[in-house]
């Protein structure tokens, strides 16, 4: 897909002129990943900045004993690998795997740096996106640290109920929910069962429907 006519351009790329978009287009690669495939591997060398065109992906830290901690659910128009752009150690500090069939554009880091250096508006949008992302992760960690297991899961359910994730609910497994909330799989299944019994949510396979939004918000706030 040509960068100039791409309908998926984020606000960042809207700041680039035609020649700059052509510059990106000449070297970028578009890769399709199937659901479950690894897009970005923790500890591996990071040579490209990635941009999600379509699909959803799980960004997570690989822990010991096969335990993962999900940092975020990435959606279209989000970047992967920006944290390694100006670091001395150019490796991936986390992993990203496709929750759905996902299309990603790979941009060489040197090309990305060149655009940042030469286009101030583009640089500001990248910094803005990065700061918003860091703010979310900081708030998530501090919020989760102050909540019990039920409050943590309630917060995750509220987060995923956003319109931005409307078509994702059938792809989120109970394991991903538990990793995102930072609780055990057993606790996740138990709490979902309790919320269903109290008619706060309804479930149909992987799909979770919120029936009582106010109660779920209260649990998240006070949990």
């Amino acid at each position: 897909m040509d960068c100039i006519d791409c309908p998926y351009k984020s606000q960042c790329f809207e700041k680039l002129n035609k020649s700059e978009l052509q510059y990106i287009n000449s070297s970028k690669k578009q890769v399709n990943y199937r659901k479950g495939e690894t897009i970005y591997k923790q500890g591996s060398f990071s040579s490209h900045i990635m941009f999600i065109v379509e699909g959803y992906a799980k960004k997570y830290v690989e822990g010991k004993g096969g335990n993962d901690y999900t940092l975020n659910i990435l959606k279209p128009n989000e970047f992967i690998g920006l944290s390694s752009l100006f670091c001395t150690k150019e490796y991936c500090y986390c992993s990203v795997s496709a929750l759905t069939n996902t299309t990603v554009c790979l941009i060489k880091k040197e090309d990305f740096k060149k655009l940042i250096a030469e286009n101030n508006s583009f640089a500001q949008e990248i910094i803005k996106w990065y700061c918003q992302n860091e703010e979310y992760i900081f708030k998530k960690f501090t919020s989760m640290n102050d909540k019990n297991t039920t409050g943590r899961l309630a917060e995750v359910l509220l987060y995923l109920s956003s319109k931005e994730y409307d078509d994702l609910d059938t792809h989120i497994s109970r394991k991903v929910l538990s990793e995102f909330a930072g609780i055990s799989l057993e606790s996740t299944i138990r709490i979902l069962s309790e919320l269903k019994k109290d008619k706060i949510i309804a479930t149909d396979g992987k799909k979770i429907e919120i029936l009582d939004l106010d109660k779920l918000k209260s649990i998240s706030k006070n949990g």
Side-chain angles (χ1 to χ4, degrees):
M1 186 180 297
D2 191 291
C3 293
I4 296 174
D5 301 319
C6 179
Y8 304 106
K9 286 198 294 285
S10 72
Q11 191 170 348
C12 299
F13 292 114
E14 293 289 350
K15 301 299 182 180
L16 300 179
N17 59 40
K18 187 175 181 179
S19 64
E20 289 170 330
L21 287 171
Q22 288 174 333
Y23 174 73
I24 286 289
N25 191 65
S26 65
S27 62
K28 64 92 176 169
K29 292 183 179 180
Q30 187 168 300
V31 181
N32 297 317
Y33 292 91
R34 293 179 180 176
K35 178 181 177 179
E37 286 191 321
T38 298
I39 298 173
Y40 196 74
K41 178 65 176 173
Q42 182 175 320
S44 64
F45 178 71
S46 176
S47 58
H48 292 76
I49 299 300
M50 300 181 181
F51 179 76
I52 298 180
V53 176
E54 292 182 287
Y56 296 90
K58 178 182 74 168
K59 180 180 180 180
Y60 61 100
V61 174
E62 298 181 35
K64 295 181 180 179
N67 295 317
D68 299 333
Y69 189 86
T70 300
L71 300 173
N72 201 359
I73 303 297
L74 302 176
K75 55 188 180 296
N77 288 339
E78 295 209 75
F79 292 96
I80 301 171
L82 279 183
S83 59
S84 67
L85 193 58
F86 293 103
C87 293
T88 53
K89 294 182 179 180
E90 298 184 346
Y91 60 83
C92 310
Y93 76 91
C94 65
S95 290
V96 176
S97 62
L99 289 173
T100 65
N101 291 340
T102 303
T103 301
V104 174
C105 282
L106 281 68
I107 305 169
K108 292 179 181 178
K109 289 170 69 172
E110 292 308 312
D111 292 343
F112 207 85
K113 286 181 180 179
K114 183 176 185 294
L115 292 175
I116 287 176
E118 296 178 356
N119 187 319
N120 182 60
S121 296
F122 177 71
Q124 288 188 37
E125 286 297 326
I126 293 297
I127 293 170
K128 179 181 176 181
W129 182 91
Y130 189 81
C131 289
Q132 289 173 341
N133 187 61
E134 289 296 296
E135 181 185 24
Y136 162 74
I137 292 177
F138 174 77
K139 286 182 177 179
K140 178 177 184 288
F141 271 97
T142 53
S143 176
M144 291 295 190
N145 190 54
D146 294 333
K147 297 180 187 293
N148 58 29
T149 54
T150 304
R152 290 182 181 186
L153 187 57
E155 181 170 320
V156 168
L157 293 176
L158 289 170
Y159 174 79
L160 293 175
S161 69
S162 163
K163 289 183 179 180
E164 296 172 321
Y165 299 101
D166 271 352
D167 53 350
L168 180 62
D169 50 10
T170 57
H171 299 279
I172 296 288
S173 67
R174 301 298 185 256
K175 186 174 186 298
V176 172
L177 282 177
S178 69
E179 292 170 355
F180 204 2
I183 62 179
S184 69
L185 177 59
E186 293 76 14
S187 293
T188 299
I189 294 171
R190 174 182 57 79
I191 294 167
L192 288 176
S193 179
E194 291 172 354
L195 293 174
K196 183 177 180 180
K197 182 180 179 181
D198 293 337
K199 300 188 184 306
I200 297 173
I201 65 168
T203 61
D204 181 13
K206 291 182 180 180
K207 185 177 177 64
I208 298 174
E209 179 185 0
I210 298 175
L211 301 178
D212 195 327
L213 184 61
D214 290 337
K215 280 189 178 180
L216 193 63
K217 285 181 177 179
S218 177
I219 292 171
S220 174
K221 181 179 179 181
N222 301 313

